[in-house]
């Protein structure tokens, strides 16, 4: 999700140095999971919605910690893209 959207964002607006972040306003409840999309912090780029967490939920009860882990990894991915962008600016 992150790498695909990052590539599409660069194709859309190659000069944009903005970061892709989860567009919390556009989150959609989908079954037991959520659909999220990414948006750029600087330009008007908005990605398509991706299903998140539903694979984790199909494994049954007692897997809540796994959902938290996935959320954490998405956060780390956002941070690393932010770091890359700031390095390119220097
Ligand atoms: Zn942008």
């Amino acid at each position: 999700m992150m790498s695909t959207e990052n590539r599409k964002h660069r194709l859309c607006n190659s000069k944009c140095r903005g970061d892709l972040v989860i567009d919390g306003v556009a989150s959609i409840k989908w079954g037991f999971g959520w659909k999220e999309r990414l948006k750029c912090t600087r330009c008007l780029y908005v990605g398509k919605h991706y299903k998140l967490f539903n694979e984790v939920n199909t494994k049954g009860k007692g897997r809540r910690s796994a959902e938290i882990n996935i959320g954490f990894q998405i956060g780390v991915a956002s941070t690393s893209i932010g770091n890359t962008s700031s390095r390119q600016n220097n």
Side-chain angles (χ1 to χ4, degrees), residues 35-46:
K35 287 171 96 172
E36 303 280 2
R37 73 179 184 186
L38 297 173
K39 67 173 181 180
C40 180
T41 54
R42 292 199 189 179
C43 73
L44 295 175
Y45 179 82
V46 178

Side-chain angles (χ1 to χ4, degrees), residues 1-2 19-27 35-41 52-53 70-71 74-75 78:
M1 171 178 164
M2 294 299 293
D19 296 327
L20 294 180
V21 295
I22 289 178
D23 188 359
V25 177
S27 296
K35 287 171 96 172
E36 303 280 2
R37 73 179 184 186
L38 297 173
K39 67 173 181 180
C40 180
T41 54
L52 297 181
F53 309 141
I70 289 173
I74 291 165
S78 303

Side-chain angles (χ1 to χ4, degrees), residues 70-82:
I70 289 173
F72 176 72
Q73 284 164 9
I74 291 165
V76 170
S78 303
T79 306
S80 69
I81 287 169

